[in-house]
Amino acid sequence: MAPTVLATAAAVAATHPNAIYSGSLLSLIILILDLIAIVQLLNSERSVMNKLLWCLLIFLCPIVGVVLY
C-alpha cells in the first residue's frame, strides 16, 4: 500500500511541482506572526492567567488568535 501512495505523490509532484509545497510560505508567515505575538505577550505587563489564556488562544487558533491579539 505504501508504494502506491509514494507513486501517486511522485506523479502529482511531477505534474505540479508546487503542489506539495503550496501552503508552506503561508504557514511560515503565520508561524512567524504567532511567535512574534507570543514573545510580545510574554514580555507584557499582563497577569499570568491573562498571558496563559492568550497563549492558548494563539496556539489553538493561530490565525484568529493573532488577529484578535
Side-chain angles (χ1 to χ4, degrees), residues 20-37 62-63 66:
I20 295 176
Y21 301 107
S22 63
S24 62
L25 180 61
L26 181 62
S27 299
L28 181 64
I29 292 170
I30 292 170
L31 176 66
I32 291 170
L33 290 174
D34 287 344
L35 291 175
I36 291 170
I63 298 170
V66 168

Side-chain angles (χ1 to χ4, degrees), residues 3 8 17 19 36-37 45 58 60-61:
T8 305
I36 291 170
E45 297 295 324
I58 292 171
L60 294 175
C61 305

Side-chain angles (χ1 to χ4, degrees), residues 14-69:
T15 57
H16 298 287
N18 294 329
I20 295 176
Y21 301 107
S22 63
S24 62
L25 180 61
L26 181 62
S27 299
L28 181 64
I29 292 170
I30 292 170
L31 176 66
I32 291 170
L33 290 174
D34 287 344
L35 291 175
I36 291 170
I38 289 174
V39 167
Q40 287 183 349
L41 176 66
L42 293 176
N43 288 330
S44 70
E45 297 295 324
R46 298 175 186 260
S47 67
V48 174
M49 183 58 97
N50 201 350
K51 289 180 184 181
L52 177 66
L53 292 174
W54 274 110
C55 283
L56 281 175
L57 179 66
I58 292 171
F59 179 72
L60 294 175
C61 305
I63 298 170
V64 175
V66 168
V67 169
L68 290 177
Y69 181 70

